Amino acid sequence: MNQIIHVILPEPTLRRLPWYLAFVDTIAGRGIKTVSSTQISKALNVDASQIAKDLSFLNIKGKTRIGYVVAELQEALSGFLDFKTSHKAFLFGAGSLGRALMADKGLANFGLNIVAAFDIDPEIIGDEISGVKIYSMDALPKLMDEHQAVIAVLTVPAQKAQDAADAAIEAGMKAIWNFTPYRVAVPDEIVLSSTSMYANLALIYNRLNAPSQEQTDCR
Amino acid sequence: MNQIIHVILPEPTLRRLPWYLAFVDTIAGRGIKTVSSTQISKALNVDASQIAKDLSFLNIKGKTRIGYVVAELQEALSGFLDFKTSHKAFLFGAGSLGRALMADKGLANFGLNIVAAFDIDPEIIGDEISGVKIYSMDALPKLMDEHQAVIAVLTVPAQKAQDAADAAIEAGMKAIWNFTPYRVAVPDEIVLSSTSMYANLALIYNRLNAPSQEQTDCR
């Protein structure tokens, strides 16, 4: 078994690794035992040399004529991506999107464990959504003592995003996963990642509306 | 009122425009009437010259000493981003994430109108989630005749992503919004955009695990 190495990878590499994992999981399901970087390259439209380079970060090397062993790739990728470890998270903003994420069991399969939610609406505080209880912001320090959650999932309205991020960081959380369209500012030592569903929609609408179709790939 | 212009914008600009909109909506809520690019720059950590350039695509120019009129910026940005128009979408894969998106009323506020869902599980076909009915894949041509939906939201398991995308395109859909970690291939004339929640998680976990914190901003 490869030791899991913890190095900071370039963002583009980290974006591609889940593609490779999804692809090898798919071919493993079809009973395929080995795969070459050329085959991965054709399927995913990524340069074979880029794939070899990305995988070398994981201490994985293909063998001449054989390529990669699919089972080894699966183990190395899922180990490296850390999707099998449970990462405790608090969710801020139990509105429509927040409730949707709480209900999405898929995130748990990728290691995100939402253990509590916070909201400012007294009407919903105390409710439970998909087994996760909603608390008032006042309860945050107490819940942190209890859970030591690391990741703050931000699903508040955009105007409240900075306040919620500040509160999460003040409470000792280490990472912000921002689902709002607001660009929150955080100290250097805090990890910040944004899922910009609205930016994706903006891209789709723009490309659909544009008279020419010359540039449609907005992956 | 500015005429809405339909030009293909660079992807980085399209990613920033929703930040500007969220920011001007926020300050409008505080009663602020004008804003300079320097103020936007400080709040969002984007170069003031970049902001001016981005906004010039929208035919918006700030005035010396006054800056931009907030209400004009709001109208131009939301008009250009096309979040006020209803765009018909079909959702493929009414599992956990699919149901979550169907339940998320927030998407409707950004112009995405999911009018039907498709799944291969006979147990759930005919069910209704948040007012959206689930159909078998066989019903796709008939539903296309009825709705002429344009955007296919892919929330199937990764192994089914390519099949679902192919079916949507075959039925005449023009854009694929891919929520799976699988990298689907589409013809050039099809718009493809991916929301990579798993890539975001991979980034967060990697930065949290990494021994050094030198590069934590993975926006």
Side-chain angles (χ1 to χ4, degrees):
Chain A
M1 196 170 88
N2 284 290
Q3 207 198 326
I4 295 171
I5 32 170
H6 290 311
V7 290
I8 291 187
L9 290 199
E11 182 170 337
T13 296
L14 277 167
R15 296 209 161 271
R16 285 186 295 265
L17 295 182
W19 298 347
Y20 305 154
L21 179 58
F23 178 69
V24 294
D25 282 348
T26 302
I27 61 173
R30 293 185 199 135
I32 294 169
K33 303 292 182 203
T34 59
V35 65
S36 68
S37 53
T38 315
Q39 288 168 315
I40 304 176
S41 169
K42 274 190 189 154
L44 303 182
N45 197 22
V46 176
D47 248 26
S49 62
Q50 184 66 66
I51 293 167
K53 196 178 160 196
D54 288 343
L55 294 177
S56 72
F57 281 116
L58 280 65
N59 266 339
I60 289 204
K61 283 208 178 78
K63 295 192 185 79
T64 321
R65 287 164 171 279
I66 298 169
Y68 300 97
V69 177
V70 169
E72 283 178 20
L73 264 188
Q74 285 181 287
E75 192 185 325
L77 284 163
S78 79
F80 186 85
L81 289 169
D82 211 14
F83 289 155
K84 298 285 166 68
T85 310
S86 168
H87 300 80
K88 281 191 183 178
F90 288 159
L91 180 140
F92 294 85
S96 183
L97 176 62
R99 284 157 184 262
L101 293 178
M102 287 153 85
D104 178 13
K105 297 299 162 215
L107 289 173
N109 294 335
F110 287 85
L112 191 81
N113 179 17
I114 300 174
V115 292
F118 297 87
D119 206 287
I120 56 169
D121 179 0
E123 294 279 310
I124 63 168
I125 289 165
D127 287 2
E128 218 170 89
I129 309 281
S130 313
V132 179
K133 200 170 166 186
I134 305 173
Y135 296 87
S136 78
M137 289 297 283
D138 300 341
L140 179 54
K142 185 180 141 289
L143 271 291
M144 264 306 269
D145 281 350
E146 195 175 321
H147 293 291
Q148 283 94 44
V150 172
I151 301 168
V153 181
L154 286 199
T155 49
V156 292
Q159 313 89 269
K160 304 285 183 195
Q162 189 63 56
D163 290 350
D166 291 347
I169 294 163
E170 168 77 25
M173 306 192 75
K174 301 298 180 204
I176 305 285
W177 189 4
N178 180 18
F179 277 87
T180 81
Y182 196 89
R183 194 172 198 217
V184 298
V186 300
D188 283 346
E189 70 275 16
I190 299 296
V191 177
L192 175 64
S193 184
S194 300
T195 292
S196 311
M197 296 212 280
Y198 316 109
N200 281 101
L201 282 174
L203 280 163
I204 292 172
Y205 299 160
N206 180 255
R207 297 320 192 228
L208 284 172
N209 287 335
S212 138
Q213 295 285 342
E214 57 198 82
Q215 191 199 344
T216 48
D217 186 342
C218 34
R219 269 156 274 207
Chain B
M1 194 170 86
N2 285 290
Q3 205 197 327
I4 294 170
I5 33 170
H6 290 311
V7 290
I8 292 188
L9 290 199
E11 181 171 336
T13 297
L14 277 167
R15 297 207 161 270
R16 286 186 294 264
L17 294 182
W19 299 345
Y20 305 154
L21 180 57
F23 177 70
V24 294
D25 282 349
T26 301
I27 60 174
R30 292 185 201 137
I32 295 169
K33 303 291 184 206
T34 58
V35 65
S36 68
S37 53
T38 315
Q39 287 168 314
I40 304 177
S41 168
K42 272 191 191 153
L44 302 183
N45 196 20
V46 175
D47 246 29
S49 62
Q50 184 65 64
I51 293 167
K53 197 178 160 198
D54 288 342
L55 294 176
S56 72
F57 282 115
L58 279 64
N59 266 340
I60 289 203
K61 285 211 177 74
K63 294 192 186 81
T64 320
R65 286 164 169 278
I66 298 169
Y68 300 97
V69 176
V70 169
E72 283 178 19
L73 263 189
Q74 285 181 287
E75 193 185 322
L77 283 164
S78 79
F80 186 86
L81 289 169
D82 211 15
F83 289 153
K84 297 285 166 70
T85 309
S86 168
H87 299 81
K88 281 191 185 178
F90 288 159
L91 180 139
F92 294 86
S96 183
L97 176 61
R99 285 158 184 260
L101 293 177
M102 287 153 85
D104 178 13
K105 297 298 163 217
L107 289 173
N109 294 334
F110 287 85
L112 191 80
N113 180 16
I114 300 173
V115 291
F118 297 87
D119 206 287
I120 55 169
D121 179 0
E123 293 278 309
I124 63 169
I125 288 164
D127 286 1
E128 218 170 88
I129 309 282
S130 313
V132 179
K133 201 169 166 187
I134 305 173
Y135 296 89
S136 79
M137 289 297 284
D138 300 341
L140 179 55
K142 185 180 142 287
L143 271 291
M144 265 305 271
D145 282 350
E146 195 175 321
H147 292 291
Q148 283 94 44
V150 172
I151 301 168
V153 180
L154 287 198
T155 48
V156 294
Q159 313 90 268
K160 304 287 184 194
Q162 189 63 56
D163 291 349
D166 292 346
I169 294 164
E170 168 77 26
M173 305 191 77
K174 301 298 180 205
I176 306 285
W177 189 5
N178 181 18
F179 278 88
T180 81
Y182 196 89
R183 193 171 197 216
V184 298
V186 301
D188 284 347
E189 70 275 15
I190 299 297
V191 177
L192 175 63
S193 185
S194 299
T195 292
S196 309
M197 296 211 281
Y198 315 108
N200 282 102
L201 282 174
L203 281 163
I204 292 172
Y205 299 159
N206 180 255
R207 299 319 192 227
L208 283 173
N209 287 335
S212 139
Q213 295 284 343
E214 57 199 78
Q215 190 197 345
T216 48
D217 186 341
C218 34
R219 271 156 274 208

